[in-house]
Amino acid sequence: DWVTHGNSLVAMAAPSQTGDVVGVRLANQSSASGAGQVVTFGEVFIDGEVAAGSHLMARVGGQLVPVQMDVKTTYADGSVKHAVLSVAPTALAGNGSVEMMLTAGAGATGAALTASDVLSHNYNLQLQLNLHDGQGTRTIDAAQVLSQAIQAGKVETWLSGPLASEFRVEPTVSGDLKARFDIRLTAEGGIKT
């Protein structure tokens, strides 16, 4: 595999041990250190490369770190075609990069983060809309919308695991106009909407 890095092509590490699947390079595009954050990215696999029901780990500097694999599409044989991978926190220096090898392993373990966990982290996002419909400004409290959706059993889940979970709620603003909130909580307590 080759990836672009600046103006040159950089060779990625090739699978070299039993169970190795593919090499990945994570790059920090900012000058600030990225210490201890779960990293989530999409990955496409070759037909049969990651069997149905299997799990992945990432080998980083000789150490195995957990990977949460949320399978999104599969091949006819059930093997993974596309998955969203969440990798346990890895320190990443400003403007630095780290190479990892995805390999067969136990994967991330533990209870999945829940929509209620988002609320327990003092989630407080508000969306203010000024519509020209004669009704003026509206404020939508995303935490309140999420709480109501949890109570009504109407939370959609995109990612679900101990490293990262992502939930979607869609309140009606006016008529056919809806707001869509995709809310992600990671193991270290980070929330992105």
Side-chain angles (χ1 to χ4, degrees):
D1 292 326
W2 292 88
V3 296
T4 58
H5 185 73
N7 293 325
S8 61
L9 289 176
V10 179
M12 294 296 301
S16 62
Q17 298 178 23
T18 302
D20 284 358
V21 178
V22 64
V24 175
R25 175 177 288 123
L26 299 178
N28 183 349
Q29 300 295 319
S30 100
S31 58
S33 292
Q37 296 179 348
V38 172
V39 176
T40 299
F41 57 95
E43 184 68 40
V44 176
F45 300 99
I46 296 170
D47 192 352
E49 191 172 45
V50 179
S54 62
H55 302 281
L56 297 174
M57 298 289 281
R59 193 170 53 252
V60 182
Q63 299 293 318
L64 288 175
V65 296
V67 174
Q68 174 184 315
M69 181 168 56
D70 288 276
V71 177
K72 297 303 173 186
T73 60
T74 58
Y75 291 100
D77 67 354
S79 63
V80 180
K81 183 175 189 177
H82 174 253
V84 177
L85 305 178
S86 299
V87 180
T90 302
L92 198 53
N95 297 314
S97 64
V98 64
E99 287 190 17
M100 61 179 61
M101 177 60 64
L102 297 177
T103 188
T109 59
L113 299 166
T114 67
S116 294
D117 291 333
V118 172
L119 298 174
S120 71
H121 281 81
N122 297 319
Y123 182 60
N124 64 358
L125 181 101
Q126 292 190 343
L127 173 64
Q128 191 170 42
L129 301 169
N130 187 7
L131 302 178
H132 300 280
D133 62 357
Q135 295 182 25
T137 302
R138 289 177 191 77
T139 300
I140 301 171
D141 183 324
Q144 182 181 25
V145 169
L146 179 60
S147 178
Q148 290 168 347
I150 291 168
Q151 291 173 11
K154 295 189 183 257
V155 177
E156 293 179 45
T157 302
W158 174 248
L159 303 177
S160 179
L163 296 179
S165 288
E166 183 170 310
F167 311 99
R168 173 175 285 176
V169 291
E170 290 186 327
T172 298
V173 177
S174 175
D176 290 333
L177 179 63
K178 293 184 180 209
R180 177 179 292 163
F181 297 99
D182 292 316
I183 306 163
R184 181 177 301 178
L185 173 65
T186 55
E188 76 280 358
I191 300 176
K192 292 183 181 180
T193 304

